[in-house]
Amino acid sequence: MAADTPRRQSTLDEVAELAGVSRSVASRVLNNAPHVSRVKREAVERAVQQLGYVRNPTARALASRQTGAAALVVAGEEPSIFADPFFAQVIVGASAALEEADLHLMLCLAASDRGRKRVEELLRSKGADGVMLMALRANDPLARMAEEAEMPVVFGGRPAASAAPRWYVDVDNAGGAREATEHLISRGRTRVAAICGRLDTEVGRARYRGYRDAVLAVGLEPYPPQEGDFTEPSGAAAMAALLANHPEVDGVFAANDNMGAGALRTLRTAGRLVPDDVAVVGFDDLTVAQVADPPLTTVHQPIKAFGREMARMLVALINGQEPTPLILPTRLVTRSSS
């Protein structure tokens, strides 16, 4: 009589699928980790019994170090972060994706020296299951520390460095800026300037690069970058400088809607009609673009999806998967300012 065929050992993925939960939730249940609802815990325990799942002692030791939380680290200036609806939408998207994986969201600000030191300690001590890192400037030491950290790290937007990080979510910044500038040119504007973001950030550089490429492609001369810091007052100041130094400007691409709204304010004060005298296009498609006077033509980027995909990528890394970098598309939204 032939010997019985050995029964295949069930896997953690099968337990999670049968229980209707994510792999990370199943892992935390099996290792008595906190932050799991009673309903999901009971579903996992039933699946374990049905499948006869036997836990691997090495995997259990590793998983027992899970904290049940993921950190979103923003390395920008604190006042502008809290005033900018962009970050609020990113947080909403990331929080929703983490909630699906039963992970709590920790928000860390690294604007001050003290804040950066706390983030450094978080990375060294593995005080979270993973980290999402945003708004880094050139040569920020957090980028190097994140790459060396012994925990999953996902970058929200590529840092301004020569080499892209291994895992990141970004939007097509250069492509969106190019489309915005091409739109202005298609409206007959031949003296198009750019109010760009900080040039020590990749987003600032990429959006100016897209503007410059579009202008050069039709044989026009690009204006030097008029730098702002993505806030409304900086857009107003940049537009005032443009009018003082280049009064002939008849089109402006602003690298975000906050600066675009500031540009509109300055043009109105200066008696310039929009779009008759100067057409303006922003970037982001925030609420401020809809309520601006006149409503602002802008480049829509999927901000909540940006936060959601960043968190999903982090969850995949926590679960031992190997995701690939993701670039989200943009599209032009035409309104009265152009």
Side-chain angles (χ1 to χ4, degrees), residues 179 183 281 285 296-300 331-335 338:
E179 185 178 14
H183 169 75
V281 178
D285 199 17
L296 185 64
T297 294
T298 186
V299 176
H300 174 86
R331 59 180 172 83
L332 187 71
V333 178
T334 305
R335 298 193 178 100
S338 62

Side-chain angles (χ1 to χ4, degrees), residues 47 52 141 194 198 226 255 338:
R198 292 186 182 274
Q226 189 67 51
S338 62

Side-chain angles (χ1 to χ4, degrees), residues 81-169:
I81 289 169
F82 288 118
D84 194 337
F86 173 87
F87 288 104
Q89 292 191 43
V90 169
I91 291 170
V92 169
S95 180
L98 293 176
E99 185 176 345
E100 294 174 359
D102 267 13
L103 286 169
H104 290 279
L105 175 64
M106 299 168 52
L107 179 61
C108 304
L109 301 180
S112 64
D113 289 340
R114 184 177 180 182
R116 282 188 289 273
K117 288 180 181 178
R118 292 179 65 183
V119 173
E120 290 173 7
E121 179 59 28
L122 174 74
L123 292 169
R124 289 195 182 101
S125 65
K126 300 181 183 178
D129 292 343
V131 171
M132 297 166 285
L133 204 52
M134 290 188 64
L136 292 184
R137 297 183 187 176
N139 302 317
D140 194 317
L142 286 179
R144 175 185 52 78
M145 291 192 62
E147 290 289 349
E148 297 173 355
E150 295 182 6
M151 69 165 65
V153 177
V154 171
F155 287 80
R158 288 163 290 184
S162 56
R166 189 173 180 185
W167 295 295
Y168 63 86
V169 176

Side-chain angles (χ1 to χ4, degrees), residues 2-3 8 13 29 32 71 101 121 170 175 186 198 204 244 257-258 272 296 302:
R8 183 181 67 81
D13 288 326
V29 170
N32 296 315
E121 179 59 28
D170 209 346
S186 74
R198 292 186 182 274
D257 290 341
N258 295 325
R272 299 290 186 97
L296 185 64

Side-chain angles (χ1 to χ4, degrees), residues 222-237:
Y223 284 77
Q226 189 67 51
E227 190 172 349
D229 63 3
F230 297 110
T231 63
E232 194 270 354
S234 76

Side-chain angles (χ1 to χ4, degrees), residues 269-313:
T269 301
R272 299 290 186 97
L273 299 179
V274 178
D276 296 5
D277 299 328
V278 183
V280 182
V281 178
F283 200 116
D284 284 342
D285 199 17
L286 299 172
T287 301
V288 67
Q290 302 173 32
V291 301
D293 182 20
L296 185 64
T297 294
T298 186
V299 176
H300 174 86
Q301 64 163 315
I303 303 174
K304 288 182 182 178
F306 179 91
R308 183 174 64 248
E309 294 303 326
M310 189 167 52
R312 285 179 175 173
M313 184 175 291

